[in-house]
Amino acid sequence: NIQEAQLGMTLSESLIRVPGLTAQNRTQYSQDPQISTRGFGARSAFGVRGIRVFVDGIPLTMPDGIAQPGNIDLETIKSIEVMRGPFSTMYGSSSGGVIQLITDDAPKTPEIKFNFLAGSYGTTKESTKLSGTQNNIQYMLDLSHFDTDGYRQHSAAWKDQATAQLKFNLDNGTRVNILADYFNSKAQDPLGLARNNGVDKTTTGESTFQNRYYSAFTNPTAVPDVALLANTRVERKNTQVGMNLEHDLNEHNTLNFIG
């Protein structure tokens, strides 16, 4: 359900089905979806705060408490676990909730998958995934590109993503998972619309700046003049490498080292 019949671009597509979790799609790619549970994260202007996000046990949440779920390549995810309330304390303090994403296991024989999606407003998405198992080492490489002109004026966006992963077992009951992600995105920000049409005027010295804004009810595709004049936009680039080393002490106890 994470990949089929969905664009596979934001977590809100899947998390909106989870009871007790609010995942609002802001419908523009200059901002990540707002995710909140039990009030945590409800006041976040960008990113996800108060909720910790993990991929295979590797934290996607930065030390300052902010997670950028747009960095996640949903083409590689097989399941999503959500923990609310006291269950989240398993992953440390200051956890209003935990979203744990589990990557797919590699097949026994090598596979190459191609995916192409096209839609309205110049929207296209292409992805290529190579995965398999060689000498008991599971490997996966996924590349994807997304492009759209946007429904509103000044709302075009594109995103490039690459994910590489290695999974293998050592002889002493130790499992190793190495995950590398690359993310590069540019998106125009059309800003918000007002209830009614209007004009703001600001005078500085001898010059007067005039900003026309438009109603979301009568002209939903329009943008305020300031968005075009200032060319409001967002550019994000992120590279992350993580490792999860798991060792079984006995049948009831496990030791994890996460970097």
Side-chain angles (χ1 to χ4, degrees), residues 11-24 34-41 48-53 80-85 96-100:
L11 274 177
S12 61
E13 298 171 13
S14 298
L15 293 183
I16 195 172
R17 307 169 181 170
V18 180
L21 195 72
T22 301
Q24 297 182 357
Q34 184 188 61
I35 301 174
S36 63
T37 177
R38 301 192 177 194
F40 290 90
V48 176
R49 299 171 185 260
I51 301 175
R52 298 179 69 85
V53 183
I80 302 174
E81 298 178 356
V82 176
M83 281 168 273
R84 299 181 295 272
V98 166
I99 299 173
Q100 172 83 269

Side-chain angles (χ1 to χ4, degrees), residues 65-257:
I66 298 178
Q68 301 286 350
N71 297 357
I72 299 171
D73 188 354
L74 294 176
E75 297 286 344
T76 66
I77 303 300
K78 73 172 181 180
S79 63
I80 302 174
E81 298 178 356
V82 176
M83 281 168 273
R84 299 181 295 272
F87 296 104
S88 62
T89 58
M90 297 170 58
Y91 289 84
S93 61
S94 302
S95 297
V98 166
I99 299 173
Q100 172 83 269
L101 297 104
I102 312 296
T103 57
D104 201 1
D105 295 322
K108 298 296 182 182
T109 57
E111 290 182 356
I112 299 180
K113 295 182 179 180
F114 301 97
N115 185 41
F116 175 75
L117 180 147
S120 304
Y121 312 109
T123 301
T124 58
K125 182 182 178 183
E126 308 89 26
S127 64
T128 302
K129 183 178 180 181
L130 170 66
S131 58
T133 303
Q134 185 73 30
N135 297 327
N136 293 324
I137 298 177
Q138 297 184 39
Y139 61 88
M140 183 269 296
L141 176 64
D142 186 84
L143 307 173
S144 65
H145 174 76
F146 171 78
D147 201 349
T148 182
D149 296 333
Y151 168 69
R152 296 176 59 195
Q153 302 174 33
H154 195 70
S155 63
W158 64 262
K159 178 194 287 189
D160 286 326
Q161 284 186 291
T163 301
Q165 185 177 45
L166 292 175
K167 294 180 183 179
F168 55 92
N169 297 335
L170 301 180
D171 295 335
N172 58 353
T174 302
R175 295 174 293 278
V176 181
N177 183 2
I178 301 174
L179 184 66
D181 293 299
Y182 170 77
F183 167 89
N184 187 11
S185 172
K186 290 184 179 180
Q188 296 174 329
D189 190 346
L191 302 181
L193 292 174
R195 179 178 293 273
N196 302 304
N197 296 329
V199 179
D200 284 332
K201 293 184 179 181
T202 303
T203 301
T204 303
E206 297 181 354
S207 59
T208 299
F209 173 75
Q210 181 172 287
N211 173 43
R212 289 186 176 87
Y213 55 88
Y214 304 93
S215 168
F217 301 98
T218 60
N219 199 351
T221 62
V223 298
D225 288 350
V226 66
L228 301 176
L229 293 173
N231 189 22
T232 51
R233 64 203 184 277
V234 171
E235 180 178 355
R236 290 183 292 177
K237 188 180 294 185
N238 182 70
T239 303
Q240 178 172 326
V241 179
M243 180 187 68
N244 187 355
L245 189 148
E246 188 174 17
H247 177 70
D248 293 331
L249 300 176
N250 51 50
E251 61 179 337
H252 300 295
N253 296 280
T254 303
L255 181 66
N256 276 76
F257 174 78

